[in-house]
Amino acid sequence: MTDNVVPLFKDPQTSTDTIPAPDPAPAAPDTARPIGVWRQRRRGLRMAVTSERSRTAVRLVARHGMYVIGGTRITAKRTWDGRTASRYERMIRAAEAGGNLEEAKEWEDRLQRFRTGRHHRRMDLLRSAPDLAKSALYGTGLTVGGLLLLGIVLAIANKDITWVIGPIGAVIEAIRWAVMVATVVWGPALTVGPWLALLALWGVGRRQQTAPQWTLPAQQRDDTGAPITPSIVVTALRDLGIATLRKAINEMGDAGAAMLGPIRIAGCGVEVDVTLPSGVSTEEVQGRRRKLAENLARHEHEVFITLPAAARTVRLWIADSGALDEPIGPSPLVTDETATANYKTGKAPWGQDLRGDAAALSLYQRHVLATGLSNQGKTAALRALALWAALDKTVEFRIADLKGVGDWDMFDGGLATTLIQGPTDEHVIKATEMVEGLVAEMERRIQSPPGTTFTPLIGIVDEAQVAFMCPAIDKEKRPYGGSKATSRYFMAVRKIHNQGRAVDVLLWEGTQDPTDQNLPKLVREGAHTRISLVLGTESQARMALGDKAVDGGAAPHLLRQDLDKGTVVVASGGITIPAGQTSITVRTHYIDDDQAAEVAERAKALRNGVVTNARTIEPEDEHDPLADILTVLGTESRVLTQEVLKRLAALNDKAYGRWSFIDLKRVLDGTGAEPYKSDGRMTLARERVARVVANRPDEGSTSAAE
């Protein structure tokens, strides 16, 4: 068996037979490298596409391409409009969309005249062809004849017969040269002409800005603060998202310009009236204030939408960018040390409206309600009105500051006959008694003889929501706060609102963050002048100003908290409001505490003998209230308290002229001669008063300061 084995390989060194080693296995293909290369290429491609340089290049190409396309479209439209009646038809549709039938009829007449004139021109052109041929033949004959005549003259002059055809030869040579020049120029003209046409179309598109906004460079896309033009206003309205409005603007022949009135400079902005097309309501435009402001490249607080007297019209006031963030300057009360006031005929210089005009408010026989969020300038705005009124020395103030941080300190010592400062229930009780004292004074004045004139009495309750929310209850289980028929503060306020104005007893209230609980409906509806600063919601704005004002465009809830401090929206007959509007926005002058103290000192200098927390009585006027009461009772056994007050005023007007039932009751309390009811009316008994006077210690006369 072994002899038959054939050696496969013989080693030359050993001469021994060996078996060759097997061939190595083929290597696996290297697939990792192509995948890595592809990933790198894809990453590089993505970086190239998304880089700012690539985006700039794409915007550049798209922008200039759209200039050419837009210029072609505009040129074609102009050419078409110039040769057809499409312009007249668009104007007719625009007039019909705007509801102006008379204008539509006028444009229809113009269209008819245009068509008639075009027909006559075409017929004249058809009839003029034979005449044109005859004229051409006649003109050619005259030209040839003239040239021959000129040649004959030249031949005679030069004594050479060849000059006869010399002029005709010169004309032929000129024509040959013209053809030669045209042949040379024609080729380059065919090459350059289309590019010149493209350049012209590009220029038209660039002037009209036909490129989309995203293709413009960054410095051109940033149009914040750009001047307001008719095209900007129409474009902003078109892009509001109101389909009916957009369709009407697109169908108007003048691209919507007929909707706009003149754009007028109005203070630190511009004002324009927009007549809306049929089918578009003013409410739809008002509801898109933010989008309209953004379309006009303004912030929301820089655009105000109101309703003027004209029907289907909105009035847009558009501020210059950033203008509302600038201060308006000091109050005239601070800058003019000679300023005085007249409660009845004057107006308080309060600030400026959005047009930049001075805003002044009449306080005559008007209850005031000021509300807003905390720390937005409510007290400062209300105090500025009171400081002006204090410059009329006939005005008396009774003030309750239920915040109690000293905002009204300057009225102490001569301006306010009552000044309560503090947030506790005890302060609310005193404030309630103060308002009830206003009611008593009001009732006394109402019972005065007809024709009696009264000095103004203004009660101010700042932070009145504290009074409405007070849980305290008196001895008769009647709550001081709340809005029930038994609530003392609420009922006193209601009584003043009902009848106080007629006898110049007024109530001013300042509240914050109004709700139905801390500002009842009957109270807020009783104010004649309603003022609102920044509020959180539209429902609060309706509480503060009323539904009519908010529906008419008042929007204190759209003011910016902390940024629009001192900016108020006012609904009142005491301030000049543009015709058709129900409210006005005023940027009030800020008077700080030091400036307020200076104004208050000037007001105190106008007054004599006013003592805070006391009636105005001359110090040297001494009297005995009990003895005077006994005197006016006379010999009658019982006298009504109202009659006693009248008799006391007649006896000593300086001492008792401003007395109310509260003052009378305070003198008699604890003496045993207190007023009592008889047949449902408060009465004094002479016998009781005489017994008190007879049994009291002999201390001489007392002052009525209490």
Side-chain angles (χ1 to χ4, degrees):
M1 294 295 293
T2 60
D3 295 338
N4 295 328
V5 174
V6 179
L8 299 177
F9 178 77
K10 181 177 287 187
D11 189 348
Q13 299 294 332
T14 60
S15 298
T16 58
D17 297 331
T18 60
I19 299 176
D23 295 334
D30 188 4
T31 59
R33 182 173 180 178
I35 293 176
V37 171
W38 166 246
R39 287 178 178 173
Q40 291 180 355
R41 291 178 179 176
R42 186 174 60 181
R43 187 182 303 110
L45 180 62
R46 182 167 61 251
M47 292 178 61
V49 171
T50 59
S51 68
E52 185 59 31
R53 182 176 298 178
S54 300
R55 292 180 179 179
T56 302
V58 170
R59 284 199 296 265
L60 178 67
V61 173
R63 178 168 69 253
H64 292 285
M66 293 305 298
Y67 282 159
V68 175
I69 295 173
T72 303
R73 177 177 55 81
I74 292 173
T75 303
K77 187 174 183 298
R78 289 174 179 174
T79 304
W80 180 259
D81 287 345
R83 300 188 61 84
T84 66
S86 61
R87 176 181 301 171
Y88 298 93
E89 293 172 353
R90 282 201 311 272
M91 298 303 294
I92 292 172
R93 289 195 299 270
E96 290 176 346
N100 195 338
L101 299 182
E102 293 183 0
E103 185 178 353
K105 183 67 171 60
E106 180 181 350
W107 280 107
E108 189 174 356
D109 294 340
R110 293 183 182 181
L111 173 61
Q112 187 60 36
R113 291 195 296 270
F114 169 79
R115 287 174 173 170
T116 301
R118 183 179 60 182
H119 174 72
H120 289 325
R121 289 192 298 272
R122 289 176 177 176
M123 295 304 297
D124 292 341
L125 183 62
L126 292 176
R127 287 193 295 266
S128 65
D131 297 336
L132 183 62
K134 292 179 182 179
S135 298
L137 183 61
Y138 181 72
T140 303
L142 285 178
T143 303
V144 173
L147 292 174
L148 285 174
L149 182 61
L150 178 61
I152 293 171
V153 172
L154 292 174
I156 294 173
N158 296 318
K159 298 179 180 182
D160 187 355
I161 192 62
T162 59
W163 280 96
V164 174
I165 61 173
I168 295 177
V171 171
I172 293 173
E173 184 67 14
I175 294 174
R176 186 179 72 83
W177 276 102
V179 171
M180 184 181 299
V181 171
T183 303
V184 173
V185 173
W186 183 252
L190 287 179
T191 303
V192 176
W195 293 104
L196 293 177
L198 282 177
L199 182 62
L201 295 175
W202 175 86
V204 173
R206 186 173 181 272
R207 284 193 300 271
Q208 299 296 325
Q209 290 294 315
T210 57
Q213 190 75 6
W214 64 269
T215 65
L216 299 178
Q219 62 270 21
Q220 294 187 25
R221 293 197 305 270
D222 185 12
D223 55 356
T224 301
I228 299 299
T229 62
S231 61
I232 289 178
V233 176
V234 172
T235 303
L237 292 169
R238 184 196 64 192
D239 297 340
L240 271 183
I242 303 175
T244 307
L245 179 59
R246 183 182 185 89
K247 181 178 179 182
I249 292 175
N250 290 335
E251 291 178 351
M252 291 180 181
D254 57 356
M259 298 192 307
L260 305 184
I263 297 180
R264 304 176 296 273
I265 300 296
C268 56
V270 296
E271 187 177 75
V272 59
D273 288 349
V274 181
T275 302
L276 300 176
S278 178
V280 181
S281 69
T282 56
E283 184 178 359
E284 290 180 285
V285 177
Q286 285 182 304
R288 288 171 168 81
R289 176 185 173 187
R290 174 175 294 180
K291 189 170 185 179
L292 177 61
E294 293 172 349
N295 292 347
L296 292 168
R298 295 294 190 272
H299 296 291
E300 184 178 10
H301 72 277
E302 294 176 330
V303 175
F304 288 82
I305 306 173
T306 55
L307 303 181
R312 212 173 68 236
T313 302
V314 293
R315 177 168 295 163
L316 306 180
W317 185 84
I318 307 161
D320 298 336
S321 185
L324 293 183
D325 297 327
E326 299 294 330
I328 63 170
S331 169
L333 298 181
V334 176
T335 58
D336 184 6
E337 295 184 357
T338 63
T340 58
N342 188 309
Y343 160 78
K344 186 174 182 180
T345 61
K347 290 187 175 183
W350 204 21
Q352 293 180 1
D353 61 16
L354 296 179
R355 298 174 61 91
D357 299 330
L361 180 66
S362 172
L363 306 175
Y364 178 62
Q365 293 188 343
R366 286 182 173 87
H367 302 302
V368 177
L369 173 64
T371 186
L373 298 181
S374 177
N375 194 33
Q376 298 304 307
K378 173 182 77 297
T379 298
L382 198 61
R383 188 177 66 184
L385 297 176
L387 286 171
W388 176 82
L391 294 174
D392 183 343
K393 63 181 181 180
T394 65
V395 178
E396 177 188 352
F397 290 98
R398 301 182 187 179
I399 301 174
D401 176 15
L402 298 182
K403 181 164 48 177
V405 295
D407 289 336
W408 298 87
D409 276 346
M410 66 288 303
F411 282 79
D412 192 5
L415 291 185
T417 54
T418 299
L419 181 59
I420 302 166
Q421 297 187 95
T424 66
D425 290 349
E426 288 73 16
H427 293 98
V428 172
I429 293 172
K430 292 180 180 179
T432 302
E433 293 174 348
M434 182 194 80
V435 177
E436 289 175 340
L438 295 175
V439 174
E441 174 64 15
M442 175 191 72
E443 293 174 346
R444 184 192 71 80
R445 294 185 178 191
I446 291 174
Q447 295 180 6
S448 299
T452 305
T453 59
F454 306 102
T455 56
L457 173 58
I458 299 177
I460 301 175
V461 181
D462 198 6
E463 305 298 338
Q465 76 279 355
V466 177
F468 285 112
M469 301 301 291
C470 178
I473 300 176
D474 65 8
K475 297 178 181 180
E476 298 177 358
K477 304 300 183 183
R478 294 180 58 194
Y480 286 93
S483 57
K484 297 181 179 179
T486 57
S487 301
R488 292 181 58 176
Y489 181 80
F490 171 74
M491 292 305 299
V493 171
R494 288 292 301 136
K495 290 178 181 179
I496 295 175
H497 280 176
N498 289 339
Q499 296 179 304
R501 182 193 65 83
V503 290
D504 284 316
V505 176
L506 307 176
L507 183 63
W508 298 0
E509 291 181 287
T511 69
Q512 62 174 263
D513 200 13
T515 65
D516 283 328
Q517 288 72 37
N518 64 26
L519 187 60
K521 178 179 175 61
L522 291 178
V523 172
R524 58 182 187 253
E525 295 293 339
H528 304 101
T529 295
R530 301 174 72 170
I531 303 165
S532 177
L533 292 93
V534 181
L535 288 173
T537 64
E538 181 179 334
S539 62
Q540 288 183 320
R542 293 183 180 276
M543 291 181 188
L545 299 175
D547 292 336
K548 183 178 180 181
V550 175
D551 292 338
H557 55 290
L558 297 181
L559 295 174
R560 302 167 299 167
Q561 188 171 359
D562 295 330
L563 297 177
D564 288 326
K565 282 186 177 182
T567 299
V568 299
V569 182
V570 186
S572 172
I575 193 170
T576 302
I577 297 177
Q581 296 180 207
T582 55
S583 65
I584 186 171
T585 301
V586 176
R587 303 171 68 199
T588 60
H589 296 294
Y590 176 65
I591 303 176
D592 61 31
D593 290 346
D594 294 337
Q595 294 171 338
E598 293 176 4
V599 177
E601 289 300 322
R602 298 205 307 266
K604 292 174 184 177
L606 301 174
R607 301 162 184 252
N608 292 314
V610 177
V611 180
T612 302
N613 290 330
R615 298 297 175 182
T616 305
I617 301 172
E618 296 296 335
E620 66 274 8
D621 183 15
E622 296 183 353
H623 53 277
D624 185 348
L626 282 175
D628 290 341
I629 292 172
L630 181 59
T631 300
V632 299
L633 288 176
T635 59
E636 300 177 59
S637 59
R638 294 182 302 175
V639 179
L640 297 176
T641 54
Q642 292 296 334
E643 181 63 25
V644 171
L645 291 172
K646 291 180 182 179
R647 294 179 183 180
L648 285 172
L651 177 66
N652 189 338
D653 184 66
K654 291 184 178 181
Y656 307 114
R658 293 189 177 185
W659 265 37
S660 65
F661 175 76
I662 299 297
D663 301 298
L664 183 63
K665 185 174 182 296
R666 183 169 57 247
V667 171
L668 297 174
D669 274 349
T671 63
E674 296 87 348
Y676 64 95
K677 279 191 176 181
S678 176
D679 296 329
R681 305 183 68 180
M682 299 305 293
T683 307
L684 282 182
R686 184 185 183 283
E687 180 183 355
R688 297 180 181 179
V689 176
R691 185 168 57 247
V692 171
V693 172
N695 295 334
R696 68 179 178 174
D698 186 11
E699 298 178 353
S701 60
T702 61
S703 173
E706 295 297 317

